[in-house]
């Protein structure tokens, strides 16, 4: 079997979907751009190999292949059973052809791939257990994402998320081909990240141990990059920044007015500069998120020093740099206005794509269309993609998996699959999404049942596939 | 373990005061350690609390290249080496700061602890009930005066060494100031052993299938709290997920063909558990809770419309039980085997003509038939060299006929173990009022304060209480929420089962146990275990709002 074009993280995991759950039909999530299959079945051989001429200097491909073997539980296969199959029915390996040697990960890289699984030379009779079969061969899949920005926001300020938890979330993102981790690092409640230029900033962490060193941050970026995921860091200013003043109280307008940051003080901008400069050594994504949300300036008017700045601030909106990407969150209809004015946009409208809104159902996640009411093709191109947001007020290491999944997967398909292949009625994909949820469970991701509100418990005993 | 220097805590506490967080309960607001620093110096942040220990006030650095030195007859052990590798991964989760940076700052590169010596006296790796799990752990600076430099664990068996490794891993903390792993309050001298030999967790894989990887995650988390018996309630009314080669249709009762365990899966789980010193006790619950058996073999039901309990009148029923147990004997070496016997509603025996006839022919009431069933199943287990464990209804209904080897498993309420041990039976404590994890309204205090020896004053009778078990019934627990339902309350029970009774039964647990349990819960989440907030009113609820892990 072979793979051509593109960088290969994506297709290896697609490959996983093709088997294990043979029977009813193969369930792939998100749905590929085009896929055709047959009626035969092959089995994965002992010692399944990776064949490639790719230089793989950082071992990204071979590491991904090892992860693949673990996920398909290759070690579980009972070796003796394989010999019962005719050799033409046994898949000995996967050949991966990668056309570009460039391993730089940036927005808009080519994530397309073609996956083919051959037909056996002859008919076979029915199988025995304890082998890994690849049903419905031959397969030809040609795939690429609709949007290049397919994100998940995590919030490590409201609750500290341990390193292992963040890595686990990154792994789970790869299973549904999400490719941007928007790391909302800092907020009102805590400042957990080490900033070498201003080392007292992380005194605003909840405690001495609920912190990320710069090595931790680099580790996260590297872990994500090796899985084809960009990390978008956010330093939310001038609101949502109370925690900065724990280490540097002069950033607060006054003792009684601690948010937003003191706009009249040059020091404020020096600190922001320092942070961004430190960021540039850690985060390689060409975007950085500067927040700017929910800025309640009322206490600026009460703080004499700042009052004079108000007019400048009010004018700000008209002077947004053309390079800015606007991140929509408040509601529907904003994306439309943004691209009409020529700016790029990322969609996260809170009525449909906020994961902490437990009453938003997976169907609503699925049906939320980033290009709603945007018909002009030039403007459509300005929509980079979208992002589901996992705000952390009530999320910590104990419940993050089940709040993210499976609803984020519904959005993941909306962002990957071509518009015409998406279901017009979400109910028709329930079976396939339920399969995907059970696949996540099999891989140790605590994805919640489909039925009920976000992160609900299963109501009663039953099969994973029916809940 | 201990927070950093007072200076850092003070700054944190200023912020806390200005943000209106409430300081930990029993400390004054002006105490520099009262804020959201993880620790109070007068407490020992090891869970479960070791039996005997002394500590000091030195801070020692741990070499990221920590090496293992083995000794004793049993030191040359694969189990030990594998455990050392695992714990090294746990202890050194963060990358250390760059060495060059350290040099510029004048930090020493010589570490206080570069080597962990582990001495295991016996080379037996037999894992059975009551295996010696004791150990001593010394952590001290290598200097001219100290007898022991570095870290040393000494144990009689490799399993004691595993317990010691877990404790050592809890002494190691990543210090964000120096970006290195340190041991606070050294030197440490710990002598430890469990109060009870049986410290269990029940997992129910019939109400919801739990993938093998999830079971393994749970086994790992058990080892962090030194729980040592996985009671695997494999089968029940709703589904039969286990492969039984002798009766291959039985697992047609699985929910789907993917929600199954092959015999290799089962063996894998047993082996994974053994590498962590954890027994796996399988349960085949009969004659009730067995409706799923009939999907593959409908004859085993009294009738298609009356499916529980299993048909007592047929030899076929006992042939199947016998075949099933023989197959399981090849997988589960633990000397205890659970045969269930709970909640048996015999109506179907009375209402199904051929069964009713059989009862009459044998001159048995339904109650006597229940007894007959249980005893016949016990005989099969005993013939396979197992000791049967049965739920307490069997004891409550026919104690005088119960095989004297039986271990009585209490669950219905308090006061049962005293009766059982008074009659010479061994007992396992799982009083549902306090130790059922699916009872979401029982808070951590309920788990912590429960006492398996309650009502038993006679020392020789106390010895008959093997220990206890918390039960994770699966009606509303699946992969998505099982770990948050188990933790942290199971940890509360784990300390009750391990630590010295006097040490954990006096004082105000809000001061002596709560901060330590919160700390342990945060440790669990750092290790990737989804442990829920401790102070929540109901289990497996999310945190009530933003905040530090150490205060939730």
């Amino acid at each position: 079997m072979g793979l051509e074009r593109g960088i290969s993280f994506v297709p290896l995991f697609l490959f996983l979907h093709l088997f294990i759950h043979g029977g009813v039909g193969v369930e792939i999530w998100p749905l590929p751009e085009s896929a055709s299959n047959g009626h035969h079945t092959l089995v994965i051989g002992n010692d399944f190999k990776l064949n490639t001429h790719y230089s793989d200097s950082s071992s990204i491909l071979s590491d991904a292949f090892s992860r693949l073997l673990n996920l398909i539980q290759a070690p579980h296969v009972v070796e003796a059973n394989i010999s019962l199959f005719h050799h033409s029915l046994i898949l000995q390996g996967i050949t991966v052809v990668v056309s570009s040697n460039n391993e730089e990960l940036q927005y808009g890289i080519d994530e397309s791939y073609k996956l083919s699984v051959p037909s056996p030379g002859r008919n076979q009779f029915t199988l025995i257990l304890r082998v890994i079969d690849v049903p419905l061969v031959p397969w030809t899949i040609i795939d690429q994402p609709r949007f290049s920005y397919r994100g998940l926001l995590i919030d490590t300020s409201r609750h500290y998320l341990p390193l292992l938890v963040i890595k686990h979330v990154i792994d789970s993102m790869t299973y549904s081909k999400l490719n941007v981790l928007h790391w909302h690092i800092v907020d009102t409640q805590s400042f957990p990240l080490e900033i070498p230029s201003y080392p007292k900033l992380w005194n605003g962490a909840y405690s001495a141990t609920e912190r990320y060193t710069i090595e931790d941050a680099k580790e996260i970026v590297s872990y994500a990059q090796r899985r084809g995921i960009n990390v978008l860091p956010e330093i939310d200013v001038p609101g949502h920044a109370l925690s900065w003043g724990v280490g540097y109280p002069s950033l607060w307008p006054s003792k009684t007015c601690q948010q937003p940051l003191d706009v009249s003080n040059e020091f404020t901008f020096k600190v922001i500069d320092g942070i961004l400069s430190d960021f540039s050594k850690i985060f390689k994504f060409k975007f950085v998120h500067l927040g700017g949300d929910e800025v309640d300036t009322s206490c600026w008017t009460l703080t004499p020093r700042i009052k004079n700045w108000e007019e400048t601030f009010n004018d700000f909106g008209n002077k947004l740099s053309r390079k800015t990407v606007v991140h929509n969150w408040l509601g529907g209809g904003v994306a439309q206005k943004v691209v009409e004015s020529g700016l790029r946009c990322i969609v996260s409208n809170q009525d449909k794509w906020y994961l902490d809104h437990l009453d938003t159902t997976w169907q609503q996640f699925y049906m939320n269309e980033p290009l709603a009411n945007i018909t002009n093709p030039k403007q459509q191109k300005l929509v980079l993609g979208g992002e589901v947001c996992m705000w952390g007020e009530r999320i910590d290491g104990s419940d993050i998996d089940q709040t993210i999944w499976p609803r984020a997967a519904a959005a993941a398909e909306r962002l990957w699959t071509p518009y015409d292949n998406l279901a017009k009625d979400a109910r028709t994909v329930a079976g396939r999404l339920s399969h995907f949820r059970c696949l996540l469970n099999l891989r140790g991701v605590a994805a919640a049942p489909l039925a009920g509100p976000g992160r609900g418990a299963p109501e009663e005993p039953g099969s994973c596939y029916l809940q | 373990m201990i927070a950093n220097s007072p200076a850092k805590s003070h700054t944190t506490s200023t912020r806390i005061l200005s943000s209106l967080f409430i300081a930990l309960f029993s400390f004054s607001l002006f105490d520099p350690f009262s804020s959201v620093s993880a620790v109070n110096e007068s407490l020992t942040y090891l869970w479960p609390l070791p039996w005997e220990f002394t500590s000091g006030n030195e801070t020692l650095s741990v070499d990221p290249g920590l090496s293992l030195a083995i000794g004793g007859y049993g030191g040359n052990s694969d189990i030990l080496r594998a455990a050392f590798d695992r714990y090294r991964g746990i202890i050194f989760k963060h990358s250390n700061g760059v060495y060059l940076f350290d040099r510029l700052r004048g930090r020493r590169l010589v570490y206080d602890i570069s080597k962990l010596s582990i001495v295991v006296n016996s080379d037996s790796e037999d894992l059975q009930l009551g295996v010696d799990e004791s150990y001593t752990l010394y952590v001290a600076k290598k200097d001219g005066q100290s007898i022991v430099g570095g870290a040393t664990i000494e144990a009689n068996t490799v399993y004691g060494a595993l317990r010691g490794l877990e404790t050592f891993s809890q002494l190691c903390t990543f210090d964000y100031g120096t970006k290195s792993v340190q041991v606070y309050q050294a030197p440490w001298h710990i002598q430890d052993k469990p109060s009870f030999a049986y410290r269990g967790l029940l997992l129910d894989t019939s109400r919801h299938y739990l993938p093998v990887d999830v079971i393994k995650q749970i086994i790992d988390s058990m080892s962090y709290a030194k729980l040592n018996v996985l009671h695997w309630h494999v089968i029940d009314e709703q589904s039969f997920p286990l492969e039984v080669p002798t009766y291959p249709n039985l697992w047609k009762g699985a929910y789907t063909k993917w929600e199954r365990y092959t015999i290799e899966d089962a063996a894998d789980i047993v082996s994974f558990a053994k590498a962590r010193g954890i027994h796996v006790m399988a349960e085949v619950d009969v004659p009730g809770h067995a409706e799923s058996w009939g999907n593959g073999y409908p004859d085993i039901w009294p009738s298609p419309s009356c499916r529980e309990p299993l048909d007592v009148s047929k030899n076929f029923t006992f042939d199947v039980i016998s075949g099933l147990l023989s197959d399981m004997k090849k997988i589960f070496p633990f000397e205890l085997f659970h045969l269930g016997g709970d909640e048996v509603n015999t109506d179907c025996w009375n209402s199904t003509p051929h069964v009713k006839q059989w009862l009459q022919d044998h001159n048995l009431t339904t109650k006597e038939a229940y007894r007959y069933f249980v005893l016949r199943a016990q005989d099969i287990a005993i013939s396979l060299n197992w000791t049967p464990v049965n739920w307490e209804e069997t004891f409550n209904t026919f104690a005088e006929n119960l095989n004297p080897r039986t271990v009585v498993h209490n669950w219905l309420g308090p006061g049962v173990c005293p009766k059982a041990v008074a009659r010479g039976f061994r007992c396992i404590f799982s009083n549902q009022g306090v130790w059922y994890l699916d009872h979401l309204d029982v808070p951590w205090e309920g788990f912590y304060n429960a006492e398996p020896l309650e009502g038993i004053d006679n020392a020789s009778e106390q010895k008959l209480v093997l220990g206890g078990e918390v039960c994770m019934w699966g009606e509303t627990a699946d992969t998505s929420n099982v770990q948050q339902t188990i933790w942290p309350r199971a940890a509360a029970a784990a300390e009750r089962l391990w630590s010295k009774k006097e040490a954990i039964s006096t004082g105000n647990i809000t001061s002596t146990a709560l901060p330590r349990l919160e700390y342990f819960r945060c440790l669990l989440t750092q290790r990737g275990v989804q442990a829920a907030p401790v102070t929540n009113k109901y289990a497996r609820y999310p945190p009530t709002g933003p905040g530090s892990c150490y205060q939730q």
Side-chain angles (χ1 to χ4, degrees):
Chain A
M1 53 183 299
L3 284 165
E4 295 160 26
R5 293 210 304 270
I7 301 180
S8 39
F9 323 100
V10 151
L12 279 175
F13 293 113
L14 167 65
F15 178 63
L16 293 175
H17 294 303
L18 291 182
F19 46 80
I20 298 179
H21 304 304
V24 177
V26 170
E27 323 270 0
I28 304 175
W29 193 284
L31 205 59
E33 182 180 84
S34 88
S36 66
N37 62 275
H39 318 287
H40 300 289
T41 302
L42 298 177
V43 296
I44 301 287
N46 293 325
D47 208 23
F48 188 69
K49 284 211 168 6
L50 169 67
N51 307 312
T52 186
H53 291 302
Y54 183 60
S55 57
D56 202 23
S57 48
S58 333
S59 303
I60 291 180
L61 182 58
S62 58
D63 284 352
F65 183 70
S66 302
R67 290 198 299 277
L68 168 78
L69 287 181
N70 258 329
L71 285 171
I72 65 177
Q73 313 214 311
H76 268 232
V77 172
V78 174
E79 296 197 4
N81 289 7
I82 299 294
S83 55
L84 297 167
F85 289 84
H86 189 272
H87 67 84
S88 68
L89 301 175
I90 303 177
L91 277 174
Q92 303 290 8
I94 180 168
T95 303
V96 177
V97 176
V98 183
S99 34
S100 161
N101 265 320
N102 183 357
E103 290 192 349
E104 200 204 333
L105 181 67
Q106 271 305 341
Y107 167 74
I109 48 142
D110 186 346
E111 289 173 283
S112 66
Y113 66 92
K114 177 178 166 193
L115 171 63
S116 35
V117 183
S119 186
R122 46 174 266 173
N123 288 330
Q124 76 288 337
F125 44 98
T126 351
L127 74 178
I128 304 144
L129 297 156
R130 249 148 311 181
V131 293
I132 301 165
D133 57 10
V134 185
L136 304 178
V137 298
W139 278 93
T140 304
I141 294 175
I142 297 175
D143 204 5
Q144 62 176 329
R146 173 154 82 120
F147 292 102
S148 291
Y149 184 111
R150 307 180 301 283
L152 168 71
L153 177 150
I154 59 170
D155 167 5
T156 58
S157 171
R158 275 62 179 265
H159 283 97
Y160 175 76
L161 295 175
L163 262 188
L164 272 182
V165 173
I166 297 180
K167 288 181 175 179
H168 174 82
V169 168
I170 290 172
D171 272 322
S172 65
M173 286 169 70
T174 65
Y175 304 148
S176 64
K177 299 188 180 66
L178 291 173
N179 73 343
V180 178
L181 178 69
H182 174 169
W183 186 3
H184 185 91
I185 312 175
V186 171
D187 206 301
T188 303
Q189 288 87 349
S190 80
F191 195 117
L193 180 65
E194 178 184 16
I195 302 291
S197 315
Y198 289 92
K200 290 203 244 182
L201 278 171
W202 75 349
N203 289 1
Y206 277 132
S207 64
T209 53
E210 285 164 295
R211 290 173 164 177
Y212 306 102
T213 61
I214 38 171
E215 289 79 20
D216 289 338
K218 285 184 181 162
E219 167 93 19
I220 288 170
V221 171
S222 160
Y223 194 89
Q225 185 245 350
R226 296 177 70 76
R227 287 152 180 76
I229 291 174
N230 288 291
V231 180
L232 172 72
E234 176 179 351
I235 192 78
D236 199 345
V237 292
H240 284 280
L242 192 151
S243 60
W244 300 37
V246 177
Y248 299 98
S250 63
L251 289 172
W252 291 331
S254 77
K255 277 217 178 73
T256 48
C257 179
Q258 295 174 331
Q259 269 196 131
L261 297 175
D262 189 340
V263 65
S264 73
N265 189 348
E266 263 311 299
F267 180 58
T268 303
F269 296 95
K270 283 211 178 88
V271 173
I272 295 174
D273 240 357
I275 292 174
L276 290 176
S277 157
D278 287 340
F279 268 19
S280 67
K281 297 175 192 136
I282 306 170
F283 299 104
K284 303 301 166 202
F285 199 30
K286 72 183 190 188
F287 294 112
V288 69
H289 201 301
L290 292 169
D293 59 313
E294 293 182 313
V295 182
D296 177 1
T297 55
S298 50
C299 75
W300 279 353
T301 62
L302 300 172
T303 310
R305 207 172 61 250
I306 300 182
K307 210 167 170 181
N308 297 334
W309 285 73
E310 212 182 14
E311 295 83 15
T312 325
F313 180 77
N314 285 340
D315 286 336
F316 190 56
N318 294 343
K319 301 202 170 83
L320 275 177
S321 151
R322 291 285 105 186
K323 282 163 62 172
T324 311
V325 177
V326 178
H327 191 166
N328 142 246
W329 71 275
L330 273 162
V334 175
Q336 193 185 344
K337 298 199 190 84
V338 168
V339 300
E340 271 168 12
S341 76
L343 293 172
R344 291 171 296 176
C345 186
I346 293 167
V347 173
S348 290
N349 46 311
Q350 65 171 339
D351 52 328
K352 297 292 187 321
W353 274 6
Y354 264 31
L355 292 161
D356 54 320
H357 290 189
L358 302 180
D359 52 349
T360 310
T361 62
W362 71 263
Q363 291 92 328
Q364 289 174 299
F365 272 81
Y366 191 88
M367 296 308 293
N368 190 43
E369 172 50 50
L371 299 182
N373 297 325
I374 304 174
T375 47
N376 178 326
K378 280 212 184 99
Q379 289 179 1
Q380 287 184 346
K381 282 197 178 48
L382 293 176
V383 178
L384 301 184
E387 182 179 287
V388 289
C389 299
M390 183 64 273
W391 294 107
E393 280 86 351
R394 304 195 69 192
I395 301 300
D396 64 9
S398 73
D399 62 345
I400 188 168
D401 262 6
Q402 50 271 71
T403 316
I404 294 177
W405 307 104
R407 294 176 302 152
E413 176 153 304
R414 173 63 50 175
L415 290 165
W416 175 280
T417 302
Y419 182 77
D420 292 331
N421 294 10
L422 290 166
K424 303 293 171 264
D425 179 345
R427 282 173 300 180
T428 59
V429 302
R432 191 162 49 88
L433 181 59
S434 155
H435 243 268
F436 183 69
R437 179 247 169 171
C438 298
L439 182 78
L440 289 176
N441 280 178
L442 284 173
R443 295 179 184 180
V445 178
L450 261 63
R455 76 162 175 253
E459 280 184 2
E460 52 177 12
S463 166
C464 180
Y465 298 89
L466 296 176
Q467 299 203 322
Chain B
M1 236 193 72
I2 293 287
N4 294 315
S5 67
K8 283 184 184 152
S9 300
H10 180 64
T11 317
T12 321
S13 72
T14 309
R15 176 190 76 83
I16 298 309
L17 287 174
S18 68
S19 307
L20 300 178
F21 281 138
I22 300 168
L24 291 176
F25 317 85
S26 55
F27 314 124
S28 93
L29 282 178
F30 300 103
D31 179 336
F33 291 103
S34 72
S35 66
V36 194
S37 70
V39 292
N40 165 14
E41 281 215 305
S42 66
L43 294 179
T44 299
Y45 290 85
L46 296 171
W47 196 284
L49 198 68
W51 268 60
E52 310 279 352
F53 57 90
T54 60
S55 58
N57 52 20
E58 294 169 10
T59 297
L60 305 183
S61 58
V62 185
D63 190 342
L66 186 71
S67 63
L68 172 67
I70 55 176
Y73 280 117
N76 190 11
S77 154
D78 287 340
I79 289 182
L80 187 59
R81 265 187 284 273
F84 177 74
D85 286 340
R86 274 199 314 277
Y87 276 106
R88 227 198 351 214
I90 288 173
I91 292 169
F92 298 103
K93 258 192 256 72
H94 298 263
S95 323
N96 275 36
V98 176
Y99 281 26
L100 185 59
F101 207 45
D102 288 351
R103 237 178 243 150
L104 290 173
R105 287 200 185 179
R107 286 205 202 112
R108 51 175 191 227
L109 288 177
V110 177
Y111 295 93
D112 298 308
I113 303 168
S114 287
K115 193 172 65 171
L116 176 61
S117 304
I118 305 187
V119 177
V120 180
N121 296 329
S122 157
D123 63 356
S124 165
E125 292 193 347
D126 203 26
L127 181 63
Q128 280 304 345
L129 186 66
V131 72
D132 189 336
E133 294 175 277
S134 66
Y135 67 90
T136 54
L137 168 62
Y138 305 97
V139 183
K141 196 163 24 196
K142 224 182 188 58
D143 61 31
Q145 284 132 0
S146 103
I147 302 166
V148 180
T152 306
I153 295 172
E154 196 176 321
N156 287 326
T157 70
V158 66
Y159 303 110
L162 294 187
R163 305 297 172 239
L165 263 171
E166 174 56 46
T167 306
F168 178 68
S169 77
Q170 293 188 22
L171 285 177
C172 295
T173 326
F174 183 79
D175 173 64
Y176 283 78
T178 56
K179 291 196 185 179
S180 60
V181 174
Q182 315 210 316
V183 173
Y184 301 110
Q185 293 192 311
W188 284 90
H189 182 152
I190 297 174
Q191 276 177 293
D192 203 5
K193 63 174 183 177
S195 280
F196 294 98
Y198 184 113
R199 309 178 302 282
L201 167 71
L202 178 151
L203 269 193
D204 168 5
T205 60
S206 170
R207 275 61 178 265
H208 284 99
Y209 176 78
L210 293 176
V212 173
D213 279 352
V214 173
I215 297 179
K216 287 179 172 179
Q217 282 172 15
I218 294 172
I219 291 172
D220 264 329
S221 61
M222 286 170 70
S223 70
Y224 304 151
K226 298 189 173 78
L227 290 172
N228 74 341
V229 180
L230 176 67
H231 172 173
W232 188 2
H233 186 91
V234 198
I235 306 154
D236 206 299
E237 173 189 322
Q238 289 86 351
S239 80
F240 194 119
L242 182 65
E243 178 184 13
V244 183
T246 319
Y247 285 91
N249 287 349
L250 276 171
W251 73 350
K252 281 189 175 170
Y255 280 132
T256 60
K257 67 180 183 189
W258 310 294
E259 287 165 298
R260 288 176 167 177
Y261 306 103
T262 60
I263 45 173
E264 288 81 14
D265 289 337
D268 188 15
I269 287 168
V270 172
S271 148
F272 189 89
K274 180 172 179 176
R276 288 145 181 80
I278 292 173
H279 313 281
V280 181
M281 176 177 75
E283 176 181 349
V284 169
D285 198 347
V286 290
H289 283 282
E291 186 177 325
S292 62
W293 297 42
N295 284 74
Y297 299 100
D299 278 350
I300 219 168
W301 291 326
S303 83
S305 53
C306 212
R307 299 180 174 186
E308 251 185 334
L310 298 177
D311 190 337
V312 63
S313 72
K314 297 196 178 106
N315 273 325
F316 176 62
T317 305
F318 296 96
D319 287 342
V320 174
I321 295 174
S322 181
L324 170 51
L325 259 52
S326 301
D327 287 344
M328 289 176 90
K329 184 64 184 170
K330 297 176 191 140
I331 306 171
F332 298 99
F334 189 41
E335 65 195 75
L336 300 182
F337 192 88
H338 206 300
L339 287 169
D342 58 317
E343 296 182 312
V344 179
N345 176 348
T346 54
D347 286 353
C348 279
W349 287 350
N350 252 332
S351 63
T352 308
H354 77 267
V355 183
K356 190 167 172 121
Q357 185 62 50
W358 182 90
L359 290 172
Q360 285 171 352
D361 292 346
H362 290 79
N363 209 1
L364 294 169
T365 63
T366 50
K367 190 165 147 191
E368 288 162 341
Y370 164 50
R371 177 185 72 201
Y372 159 82
F373 198 118
V374 170
L375 295 181
R376 193 166 165 187
Q378 285 198 331
D379 284 342
I380 298 173
I382 291 168
S383 74
L384 289 168
N385 245 331
W386 270 320
T387 296
V389 183
N390 280 93
W391 295 109
E392 67 172 76
E393 287 96 321
T394 55
F395 171 78
N396 297 338
T397 314
F398 46 87
E400 60 281 1
N401 304 110
L402 210 52
N403 190 299
R405 282 170 67 167
T406 310
V407 177
V408 176
H409 194 165
N410 144 247
W411 73 274
L412 274 163
V416 177
C417 276
K419 297 200 190 96
V421 300
R423 296 184 73 134
F425 290 100
R426 287 170 296 174
C427 192
I428 295 167
F429 174 90
S430 289
N431 170 4
Q432 66 171 331
V434 287
W435 273 12
Y436 263 32
L437 291 161
D438 56 317
H439 291 187
L440 305 180
D441 56 348
V442 180
W444 76 270
E445 293 97 327
F447 279 81
Y448 194 81
N449 286 325
E451 175 48 62
L453 297 180
E454 183 181 45
I456 307 171
D457 305 308
N458 179 318
S460 56
E461 281 179 6
Q462 288 184 344
K463 284 196 177 57
L464 294 176
V465 178
L466 296 179
E469 182 180 288
V470 289
C471 300
M472 185 63 266
W473 294 106
E475 282 86 348
T476 64
D478 67 5
T479 299
S480 74
N481 63 1
V482 67
Q483 282 285 58
Q484 336 148 265
T485 316
I486 293 175
W487 306 104
R489 295 175 305 154
E495 178 152 295
R496 176 61 48 183
L497 290 164
W498 178 278
S499 303
K500 203 195 297 192
K501 187 170 162 187
E502 296 69 37
I504 57 175
S505 306
T506 54
N508 178 355
I509 62 173
T510 306
S511 329
T512 58
L514 176 61
R516 297 173 46 243
L517 182 57
E518 280 173 322
Y519 186 93
F520 183 69
R521 179 249 170 173
C522 297
L523 182 138
L524 287 178
T525 60
Q526 283 163 25
R527 294 185 184 186
V529 178
Q530 300 175 291
V534 177
T535 55
N536 279 358
K537 192 153 172 257
Y538 291 102
R540 76 163 177 248
Y541 263 44
T544 48
S548 166
C549 183
Y550 299 95
Q551 282 198 322
Q552 298 201 323

